[in-house]
Amino acid sequence: MSKKTAIVTGAAMGYKDGGPSIGGAIALRLAKDGYNVVVVDLGEMGQKTVELIEAGGGHAVFIQADVTKTADIGRIIQTTKDMYGGLHCLVNTVARYGSGMMKNVAEISEEEWNATLEVNLNGYFKMAKYTIPLLLESGGGTIVNISSIESFVALPNFSVYSVSKAAIDALTRSIAVDFAPQIRANAVLPGFVKIANSENNRSPEELQKWHGDIALGYPMKRVCEPDEIAHVVSFLAGAESSYINGQSIVVDGGRMICDGHVF
Ligand SMILES: NC(=O)c1ccc[n+]([C@@H]2O[C@H](COP(=O)([O-])OP(=O)(O)OC[C@H]3O[C@@H](n4cnc5c(N)ncnc54)[C@H](O)[C@@H]3O)[C@@H](O)[C@H]2O)c1
């Protein structure tokens, strides 16, 4: 094997026009860092991520797969082995959003609760469970789980999302303790990040106003770019973070420390 390999789940570019996404930015950044990248997503815009990586001189393959399905994960692992021989990094980025999920615990249906946890928590658990043997076989590596500041603070009517993110942090700590020193695991907790999927239906003026309103809660006076998450993932995936293990790294421009102040 000539270089390292990373699997990034939820790594499709924005689903309508291939615009920016957090998983896409992570995949592109890891490719620039020299990894072969296995791009995993339910959505066909994963192919767009591969095209962008290849246009930059990198190596990548797209596997259209559902990370909640064990058979699909088997396909991801087999393809990774066949194409690149091993695995050195797993980044879990998938998330399920839906209007039925944005409810308090009294109002959310059991079906919506379970369906959200199936992706946002079990999709992370299953990818870790089935890739850890390959990481170990390959001499060890890193796992980076994309969590959220909603793991620490409660956004109104985001009950199951918050619970899933707090559980991801706990999952990360369990992996960190059980598999060190061969595998290090850390979580990244973004605040609001600009992504195409939530922006597609808004006009440029509406977008500017929306981002401006959100930025009022952020000391940086702007919202986060996907690349600013990808840089942190790159650091946690690589050797320069060699003594960071089991941590929940907040990347929110200082939002959580400002006690609700409006800037
Ligand atoms: N956008 C933000 O402001 C923000 C803030 C904090 C945390 N996050 C986290 O960042 C990550 C990326 O989210 P995003 O906001 O970019 O959303 P997104 O919808 O653009 O990305 C999620 C991706 O996961 C894919 N996906 C969903 N279920 C899947 C499954 N079962 N199997 C395979 N792929 C699946 C989707 O197709 C999509 O491409 C998520 O974990 C999210 O919770 C986002």
Side-chain angles (χ1 to χ4, degrees), residues 10 12 22 41-43 65-68 93-95 97 119 124 146-148 161 165 190-193 195 197:
I22 296 175
D41 205 290
L42 273 179
D66 182 340
V67 299
T68 67
T93 312
V94 296
Y97 298 103
V119 178
Y124 284 50
I146 304 303
S147 174
S148 164
Y161 185 82
K165 293 304 186 181
F192 182 91
V193 184
I195 52 158
N197 282 355

mmCIF file of all heavy atoms in Angstrom, residues 10 12 22 41-43 65-68 93-95 97 119 124 146-148 161 165 190-193 195 197, ligand 1:
data_model
loop_
_atom_site.group_PDB
_atom_site.id
_atom_site.type_symbol
_atom_site.label_atom_id
_atom_site.label_comp_id
_atom_site.label_asym_id
_atom_site.label_seq_id
_atom_site.Cartn_x
_atom_site.Cartn_y
_atom_site.Cartn_z
ATOM 1 N N GLY A 10 -21.408 10.154 4.662
ATOM 2 C CA GLY A 10 -22.132 11.424 4.521
ATOM 3 C C GLY A 10 -21.307 12.430 3.741
ATOM 4 O O GLY A 10 -21.368 13.634 3.983
ATOM 5 N N ALA A 12 -21.316 13.188 0.438
ATOM 6 C CA ALA A 12 -21.811 13.742 -0.833
ATOM 7 C C ALA A 12 -21.754 15.262 -0.793
ATOM 8 O O ALA A 12 -21.902 15.870 0.271
ATOM 9 C CB ALA A 12 -23.257 13.289 -1.063
ATOM 10 N N ILE A 22 -20.484 19.542 4.596
ATOM 11 C CA ILE A 22 -19.432 19.283 5.591
ATOM 12 C C ILE A 22 -18.666 18.007 5.207
ATOM 13 O O ILE A 22 -17.430 18.005 5.163
ATOM 14 C CB ILE A 22 -20.048 19.158 7.005
ATOM 15 C CG1 ILE A 22 -20.685 20.499 7.420
ATOM 16 C CG2 ILE A 22 -18.994 18.723 8.012
ATOM 17 C CD1 ILE A 22 -21.430 20.455 8.740
ATOM 18 N N ASP A 41 -22.197 7.638 0.771
ATOM 19 C CA ASP A 41 -23.419 8.429 1.002
ATOM 20 C C ASP A 41 -24.596 7.712 0.352
ATOM 21 O O ASP A 41 -24.422 6.953 -0.607
ATOM 22 C CB ASP A 41 -23.283 9.837 0.397
ATOM 23 C CG ASP A 41 -24.180 10.852 1.094
ATOM 24 O OD1 ASP A 41 -25.417 10.781 0.929
ATOM 25 O OD2 ASP A 41 -23.652 11.710 1.821
ATOM 26 N N LEU A 42 -25.778 8.003 0.859
ATOM 27 C CA LEU A 42 -27.017 7.528 0.219
ATOM 28 C C LEU A 42 -27.253 8.263 -1.089
ATOM 29 O O LEU A 42 -27.810 7.719 -2.025
ATOM 30 C CB LEU A 42 -28.218 7.858 1.121
ATOM 31 C CG LEU A 42 -28.639 6.903 2.206
ATOM 32 C CD1 LEU A 42 -29.835 7.491 2.941
ATOM 33 C CD2 LEU A 42 -28.997 5.552 1.608
ATOM 34 N N GLY A 43 -26.833 9.519 -1.132
ATOM 35 C CA GLY A 43 -27.156 10.396 -2.262
ATOM 36 C C GLY A 43 -26.140 10.308 -3.386
ATOM 37 O O GLY A 43 -24.938 10.105 -3.145
ATOM 38 N N ALA A 65 -24.356 3.887 -0.446
ATOM 39 C CA ALA A 65 -24.679 2.884 0.570
ATOM 40 C C ALA A 65 -25.376 3.534 1.754
ATOM 41 O O ALA A 65 -25.250 4.736 1.989
ATOM 42 C CB ALA A 65 -23.388 2.208 1.041
ATOM 43 N N ASP A 66 -26.104 2.679 2.485
ATOM 44 C CA ASP A 66 -26.818 3.119 3.684
ATOM 45 C C ASP A 66 -26.045 2.596 4.899
ATOM 46 O O ASP A 66 -25.944 1.372 5.091
ATOM 47 C CB ASP A 66 -28.239 2.524 3.642
ATOM 48 C CG ASP A 66 -29.087 2.958 4.826
ATOM 49 O OD1 ASP A 66 -28.516 3.384 5.848
ATOM 50 O OD2 ASP A 66 -30.320 2.842 4.721
ATOM 51 N N VAL A 67 -25.546 3.512 5.717
ATOM 52 C CA VAL A 67 -24.674 3.091 6.824
ATOM 53 C C VAL A 67 -25.446 2.442 7.971
ATOM 54 O O VAL A 67 -24.846 2.023 8.961
ATOM 55 C CB VAL A 67 -23.819 4.261 7.375
ATOM 56 C CG1 VAL A 67 -22.903 4.811 6.305
ATOM 57 C CG2 VAL A 67 -24.695 5.357 7.973
ATOM 58 N N THR A 68 -26.762 2.361 7.853
ATOM 59 C CA THR A 68 -27.518 1.636 8.885
ATOM 60 C C THR A 68 -27.665 0.155 8.512
ATOM 61 O O THR A 68 -28.159 -0.631 9.300
ATOM 62 C CB THR A 68 -28.916 2.242 9.096
ATOM 63 O OG1 THR A 68 -29.709 2.024 7.929
ATOM 64 C CG2 THR A 68 -28.839 3.731 9.396
ATOM 65 N N THR A 93 -19.966 11.169 9.260
ATOM 66 C CA THR A 93 -20.566 12.508 9.113
ATOM 67 C C THR A 93 -22.068 12.452 8.863
ATOM 68 O O THR A 93 -22.732 13.482 8.864
ATOM 69 C CB THR A 93 -19.888 13.250 7.926
ATOM 70 O OG1 THR A 93 -18.484 13.124 8.042
ATOM 71 C CG2 THR A 93 -20.199 14.738 7.925
ATOM 72 N N VAL A 94 -22.638 11.270 8.626
ATOM 73 C CA VAL A 94 -24.054 11.204 8.224
ATOM 74 C C VAL A 94 -24.961 11.836 9.271
ATOM 75 O O VAL A 94 -24.658 11.859 10.461
ATOM 76 C CB VAL A 94 -24.552 9.755 7.996
ATOM 77 C CG1 VAL A 94 -23.827 9.088 6.851
ATOM 78 C CG2 VAL A 94 -24.457 8.933 9.257
ATOM 79 N N ALA A 95 -26.074 12.344 8.816
ATOM 80 C CA ALA A 95 -27.134 12.791 9.735
ATOM 81 C C ALA A 95 -28.455 12.723 9.007
ATOM 82 O O ALA A 95 -28.515 12.906 7.793
ATOM 83 C CB ALA A 95 -26.881 14.209 10.213
ATOM 84 N N TYR A 97 -32.067 14.463 8.922
ATOM 85 C CA TYR A 97 -32.889 15.596 9.361
ATOM 86 C C TYR A 97 -34.292 15.363 8.819
ATOM 87 O O TYR A 97 -34.472 14.812 7.765
ATOM 88 C CB TYR A 97 -32.399 16.916 8.764
ATOM 89 C CG TYR A 97 -30.994 17.317 9.145
ATOM 90 C CD1 TYR A 97 -29.947 17.150 8.243
ATOM 91 C CD2 TYR A 97 -30.722 17.891 10.371
ATOM 92 C CE1 TYR A 97 -28.654 17.536 8.571
ATOM 93 C CE2 TYR A 97 -29.435 18.282 10.703
ATOM 94 C CZ TYR A 97 -28.409 18.107 9.805
ATOM 95 O OH TYR A 97 -27.140 18.487 10.128
ATOM 96 N N VAL A 119 -30.017 6.370 12.292
ATOM 97 C CA VAL A 119 -28.971 6.950 11.430
ATOM 98 C C VAL A 119 -27.920 7.669 12.279
ATOM 99 O O VAL A 119 -26.719 7.386 12.188
ATOM 100 C CB VAL A 119 -29.581 7.944 10.415
ATOM 101 C CG1 VAL A 119 -28.479 8.579 9.561
ATOM 102 C CG2 VAL A 119 -30.611 7.239 9.537
ATOM 103 N N TYR A 124 -23.295 5.493 13.159
ATOM 104 C CA TYR A 124 -21.919 5.735 13.624
ATOM 105 C C TYR A 124 -21.374 4.483 14.311
ATOM 106 O O TYR A 124 -20.232 4.072 14.100
ATOM 107 C CB TYR A 124 -21.888 6.922 14.598
ATOM 108 C CG TYR A 124 -22.003 8.291 13.959
ATOM 109 C CD1 TYR A 124 -23.012 8.595 13.041
ATOM 110 C CD2 TYR A 124 -21.113 9.314 14.279
ATOM 111 C CE1 TYR A 124 -23.120 9.860 12.472
ATOM 112 C CE2 TYR A 124 -21.210 10.578 13.711
ATOM 113 C CZ TYR A 124 -22.217 10.844 12.813
ATOM 114 O OH TYR A 124 -22.320 12.095 12.241
ATOM 115 N N ILE A 146 -18.488 13.243 13.638
ATOM 116 C CA ILE A 146 -19.039 14.603 13.619
ATOM 117 C C ILE A 146 -20.259 14.639 14.523
ATOM 118 O O ILE A 146 -21.286 14.008 14.255
ATOM 119 C CB ILE A 146 -19.383 15.064 12.191
ATOM 120 C CG1 ILE A 146 -18.148 14.962 11.275
ATOM 121 C CG2 ILE A 146 -19.898 16.505 12.221
ATOM 122 C CD1 ILE A 146 -16.918 15.737 11.708
ATOM 123 N N SER A 147 -20.109 15.377 15.599
ATOM 124 C CA SER A 147 -21.178 15.554 16.581
ATOM 125 C C SER A 147 -21.759 16.948 16.373
ATOM 126 O O SER A 147 -21.924 17.390 15.226
ATOM 127 C CB SER A 147 -20.563 15.344 17.978
ATOM 128 O OG SER A 147 -21.469 15.612 18.990
ATOM 129 N N SER A 148 -22.054 17.671 17.434
ATOM 130 C CA SER A 148 -22.636 19.016 17.309
ATOM 131 C C SER A 148 -22.599 19.681 18.675
ATOM 132 O O SER A 148 -22.595 18.980 19.704
ATOM 133 C CB SER A 148 -24.089 18.910 16.840
ATOM 134 O OG SER A 148 -24.772 20.121 17.060
ATOM 135 N N TYR A 161 -32.178 14.865 18.177
ATOM 136 C CA TYR A 161 -30.887 15.241 17.585
ATOM 137 C C TYR A 161 -29.859 15.446 18.704
ATOM 138 O O TYR A 161 -28.746 14.924 18.649
ATOM 139 C CB TYR A 161 -31.062 16.516 16.749
ATOM 140 C CG TYR A 161 -29.829 16.954 15.991
ATOM 141 C CD1 TYR A 161 -29.491 16.382 14.772
ATOM 142 C CD2 TYR A 161 -29.001 17.966 16.494
ATOM 143 C CE1 TYR A 161 -28.366 16.800 14.067
ATOM 144 C CE2 TYR A 161 -27.883 18.391 15.802
ATOM 145 C CZ TYR A 161 -27.567 17.811 14.590
ATOM 146 O OH TYR A 161 -26.453 18.231 13.897
ATOM 147 N N LYS A 165 -26.410 13.281 19.455
ATOM 148 C CA LYS A 165 -25.065 13.864 19.450
ATOM 149 C C LYS A 165 -24.349 13.626 20.773
ATOM 150 O O LYS A 165 -23.137 13.366 20.799
ATOM 151 C CB LYS A 165 -25.143 15.351 19.104
ATOM 152 C CG LYS A 165 -25.605 15.625 17.667
ATOM 153 C CD LYS A 165 -24.730 14.920 16.637
ATOM 154 C CE LYS A 165 -25.057 15.285 15.202
ATOM 155 N NZ LYS A 165 -24.223 14.582 14.228
ATOM 156 N N PRO A 190 -19.482 21.005 15.684
ATOM 157 C CA PRO A 190 -19.682 22.306 15.043
ATOM 158 C C PRO A 190 -20.871 23.056 15.636
ATOM 159 O O PRO A 190 -21.815 22.457 16.142
ATOM 160 C CB PRO A 190 -19.996 21.942 13.579
ATOM 161 C CG PRO A 190 -19.688 20.487 13.428
ATOM 162 C CD PRO A 190 -19.830 19.889 14.790
ATOM 163 N N GLY A 191 -20.819 24.402 15.519
ATOM 164 C CA GLY A 191 -22.032 25.205 15.667
ATOM 165 C C GLY A 191 -22.678 25.256 14.286
ATOM 166 O O GLY A 191 -22.557 24.317 13.497
ATOM 167 N N PHE A 192 -23.322 26.361 13.944
ATOM 168 C CA PHE A 192 -23.981 26.442 12.634
ATOM 169 C C PHE A 192 -22.930 26.501 11.515
ATOM 170 O O PHE A 192 -21.998 27.296 11.557
ATOM 171 C CB PHE A 192 -24.875 27.689 12.565
ATOM 172 C CG PHE A 192 -25.609 27.805 11.263
ATOM 173 C CD1 PHE A 192 -26.870 27.258 11.117
ATOM 174 C CD2 PHE A 192 -25.018 28.431 10.163
ATOM 175 C CE1 PHE A 192 -27.548 27.335 9.899
ATOM 176 C CE2 PHE A 192 -25.683 28.506 8.943
ATOM 177 C CZ PHE A 192 -26.944 27.966 8.813
ATOM 178 N N VAL A 193 -23.125 25.653 10.513
ATOM 179 C CA VAL A 193 -22.210 25.610 9.359
ATOM 180 C C VAL A 193 -23.029 25.850 8.092
ATOM 181 O O VAL A 193 -24.086 25.234 7.899
ATOM 182 C CB VAL A 193 -21.508 24.234 9.253
ATOM 183 C CG1 VAL A 193 -20.501 24.242 8.105
ATOM 184 C CG2 VAL A 193 -20.828 23.861 10.559
ATOM 185 N N ILE A 195 -24.161 25.186 4.585
ATOM 186 C CA ILE A 195 -24.097 24.044 3.649
ATOM 187 C C ILE A 195 -25.180 24.189 2.590
ATOM 188 O O ILE A 195 -26.238 24.766 2.853
ATOM 189 C CB ILE A 195 -24.295 22.688 4.362
ATOM 190 C CG1 ILE A 195 -25.570 22.704 5.229
ATOM 191 C CG2 ILE A 195 -23.079 22.299 5.166
ATOM 192 C CD1 ILE A 195 -26.114 21.352 5.512
ATOM 193 N N ASN A 197 -27.243 22.053 1.332
ATOM 194 C CA ASN A 197 -28.519 21.361 1.509
ATOM 195 C C ASN A 197 -29.569 22.194 2.236
ATOM 196 O O ASN A 197 -30.758 22.046 2.002
ATOM 197 C CB ASN A 197 -28.323 20.032 2.244
ATOM 198 C CG ASN A 197 -27.775 18.974 1.310
ATOM 199 O OD1 ASN A 197 -27.643 19.211 0.115
ATOM 200 N ND2 ASN A 197 -27.448 17.819 1.847
HETATM 201 N N1 LIG B 1 -24.866 22.086 9.102
HETATM 202 C C1 LIG B 1 -24.715 22.428 10.357
HETATM 203 O O1 LIG B 1 -24.928 23.587 10.760
HETATM 204 C C2 LIG B 1 -24.229 21.401 11.366
HETATM 205 C C3 LIG B 1 -23.970 21.824 12.671
HETATM 206 C C4 LIG B 1 -23.515 20.908 13.607
HETATM 207 C C5 LIG B 1 -23.299 19.596 13.235
HETATM 208 N N2 LIG B 1 -23.578 19.203 11.966
HETATM 209 C C6 LIG B 1 -23.324 17.808 11.638
HETATM 210 O O2 LIG B 1 -22.543 17.738 10.468
HETATM 211 C C7 LIG B 1 -22.809 16.522 9.785
HETATM 212 C C8 LIG B 1 -23.135 16.810 8.334
HETATM 213 O O3 LIG B 1 -24.399 17.402 8.287
HETATM 214 P P1 LIG B 1 -24.842 18.500 7.281
HETATM 215 O O4 LIG B 1 -25.479 19.567 8.056
HETATM 216 O O5 LIG B 1 -23.703 18.813 6.383
HETATM 217 O O6 LIG B 1 -26.053 17.753 6.553
HETATM 218 P P2 LIG B 1 -26.207 17.079 5.155
HETATM 219 O O7 LIG B 1 -27.614 16.602 5.076
HETATM 220 O O8 LIG B 1 -25.720 17.989 4.098
HETATM 221 O O9 LIG B 1 -25.212 15.814 5.231
HETATM 222 C C9 LIG B 1 -25.581 14.578 5.701
HETATM 223 C C10 LIG B 1 -25.294 13.534 4.639
HETATM 224 O O10 LIG B 1 -25.541 12.237 5.186
HETATM 225 C C11 LIG B 1 -26.141 11.446 4.178
HETATM 226 N N3 LIG B 1 -26.875 10.374 4.828
HETATM 227 C C12 LIG B 1 -27.973 10.474 5.613
HETATM 228 N N4 LIG B 1 -28.357 9.264 6.029
HETATM 229 C C13 LIG B 1 -27.488 8.358 5.490
HETATM 230 C C14 LIG B 1 -27.356 6.949 5.561
HETATM 231 N N5 LIG B 1 -28.216 6.214 6.279
HETATM 232 N N6 LIG B 1 -26.350 6.357 4.896
HETATM 233 C C15 LIG B 1 -25.481 7.086 4.157
HETATM 234 N N7 LIG B 1 -25.558 8.430 4.049
HETATM 235 C C16 LIG B 1 -26.539 9.060 4.716
HETATM 236 C C17 LIG B 1 -27.052 12.401 3.422
HETATM 237 O O11 LIG B 1 -27.373 11.911 2.137
HETATM 238 C C18 LIG B 1 -26.197 13.667 3.383
HETATM 239 O O12 LIG B 1 -25.394 13.721 2.217
HETATM 240 C C19 LIG B 1 -23.951 15.854 10.546
HETATM 241 O O13 LIG B 1 -23.444 14.898 11.432
HETATM 242 C C20 LIG B 1 -24.568 17.008 11.304
HETATM 243 O O14 LIG B 1 -25.259 16.581 12.450
HETATM 244 C C21 LIG B 1 -24.034 20.057 11.017
#
